Amino acid sequence: QNLPGKTALVTGGASGIGLGIAKALLGAGMNVAIADIRDDHLAQGSAELADVAGGATDRILALKLDVTDRANYAAVADAIEARFGKIHILVNNAGVAVVGPTDLATFADWDWVMGVNLGGTINGIVTVLPRILSHGEGGHIVNTASMSALVPAAATTIYSSGKAAVTSMMECMRPELESRGVICSAFCPGAVQSNIAEAGKTRPAELAETGYAEADKRRQAGGNFSHLYQTKEQVGERVLEGILNDELYILTHSEFLVGVKERGEATTAAVQTHLPENPEYKQTFAMLFRNPAI
Ligand code: NAI
């Protein structure tokens, strides 16, 4: 990847992990558009990016975006192209979280988190992928998933299943798009210092009903461990490295090695190896599902 002079769009790019990624991409010489639902984050994020650029703000664009709003998304993509010409890197990063016992979750809990974390990512793919393909200069898509997509965590069902979906999206798109010059990566970090605990501030009124109010108070009373988390700058540089190396899985925290291995071993052990293989089926599977040309 030759990044200098090319353009990246980072959703949720005005705070936390997205801002860390935006800083790293700006530092690598890219034009960077951060798009975010919060005006205060856009102001703060723009200021931090201007510092990285040494005050030269011509490579920075900050735009208001609700990733669940498709018309808003198209207008933002138009504005970036009007300013920088093309979009080469899309980082689907905007995200929110609620956690708690699955039996207490309301439809609104599910709809809000899935709407932003999965729906917003779908909107990014549908809006921006054709634009990347049409200019023919190649590109990269990074979905910010989470380690929770790979290592099961109790009482995070809504959040983790949405993150598993955006990981799977990258796994499926990777072989399909590689030959057309677009590389896909799933970014699966462990805990990172950010403002995600404030996510409720952007929760729409029509999706306000939560089953988690008490569960969340208990969780918060459990303590604040943020001093143990990685910084947004650390993970931003890691994402840049993953982009430069064309990595499918961009991982961060080595503490999760055991969990990642256990999952791989459990799924491997569950394969019914005592049953005979049907070579024709195996070949058909390989032809139909692993062939990017189809
Ligand atoms: P953050 O709250 O600091 O940043 C997220 C940004 O997304 C905020 O600026 C927020 O205003 C914006 N946003 C929220 N809803 C939006 C919408 N509908 N449209 C546009 N922008 C919206 O949180 P953080 O932690 O940096 O989260 C970024 C991503 O990283 C999320 O997808 C999150 O799930 C993921 N993640 C976070 C981890 C952590 O420990 N902080 C660990 C693993 C993944």
Side-chain angles (χ1 to χ4, degrees):
Q1 287 277 352
N2 188 20
L3 301 184
K6 294 194 171 153
T7 299
L9 161 58
V10 184
T11 69
S15 169
I17 292 173
L19 182 54
I21 296 171
K23 284 178 159 186
L25 296 176
L26 189 69
M30 296 195 77
N31 307 314
V32 174
I34 55 171
D36 203 289
I37 199 170
R38 276 181 63 165
D39 290 317
D40 57 338
H41 283 184
L42 283 167
Q44 172 67 26
S46 301
E48 287 195 37
L49 288 176
D51 279 348
V52 172
T57 53
D58 57 314
R59 289 193 289 117
I60 303 165
L61 192 58
L63 297 164
K64 181 81 174 261
L65 170 66
D66 178 349
V67 292
T68 68
D69 180 336
R70 292 170 178 167
N72 186 191
Y73 213 132
V76 160
D78 287 346
I80 297 167
E81 288 179 337
R83 170 75 175 270
F84 296 126
K86 296 163 184 142
I87 300 171
H88 301 87
I89 293 184
L90 168 65
V91 184
N92 289 307
N93 169 83
V96 295
V98 285
V99 296
T102 308
D103 54 308
L104 298 184
T106 61
F107 284 125
D109 286 321
W110 280 98
D111 288 348
W112 176 48
V113 177
M114 285 295 184
V116 177
N117 295 10
L118 176 56
T121 301
I122 292 168
N123 293 343
I125 300 292
V126 174
T127 306
V128 179
L129 175 61
R131 296 174 190 242
I132 297 177
L133 288 171
S134 72
H135 63 58
E137 293 178 9
H140 207 118
I141 297 174
V142 178
N143 281 358
T144 298
S146 166
M147 184 48 75
S148 68
L150 305 177
V151 176
T156 68
T157 310
I158 302 178
Y159 183 78
S160 298
S161 50
K163 292 303 184 183
V166 301
T167 301
S168 175
M169 204 186 283
M170 293 293 90
E171 291 170 324
C172 298
M173 287 171 60
R174 172 107 176 179
E176 186 188 344
L177 292 171
E178 213 166 9
S179 60
R180 299 170 74 188
V182 179
I183 305 295
C184 293
S185 301
F187 174 43
C188 302
V192 180
Q193 291 166 8
S194 79
N195 292 309
I196 201 161
E198 289 183 6
K201 289 188 178 178
T202 60
R203 185 167 176 150
E206 66 274 18
L207 298 177
E209 189 202 349
T210 178
Y212 285 146
E214 290 308 315
D216 201 53
K217 277 182 203 152
R218 282 199 301 280
R219 183 179 62 88
Q220 287 180 29
N224 181 349
F225 304 102
S226 60
H227 61 288
L228 300 174
Y229 299 175
Q230 290 194 8
T231 65
K232 64 181 187 291
E233 286 79 13
Q234 270 179 296
V235 297
E237 288 298 327
R238 175 69 190 103
V239 170
L240 171 62
E241 178 183 65
I243 290 172
L244 291 170
N245 292 336
D246 289 352
E247 294 172 43
L248 170 56
Y249 302 107
I250 304 178
L251 268 51
T252 53
H253 298 58
S254 59
E255 294 85 351
F256 291 97
L257 177 63
V258 171
V260 171
K261 270 189 175 167
E262 276 177 1
R263 186 177 198 249
E265 284 162 8
T267 50
T268 303
V271 176
Q272 299 292 283
T273 48
H274 59 284
L275 298 178
E277 271 181 22
N278 180 330
E280 193 185 349
Y281 175 66
K282 197 175 177 183
Q283 200 186 354
T284 307
F285 173 83
M287 190 181 72
L288 288 182
F289 296 107
R290 309 212 89 158
N291 182 352
I294 292 174

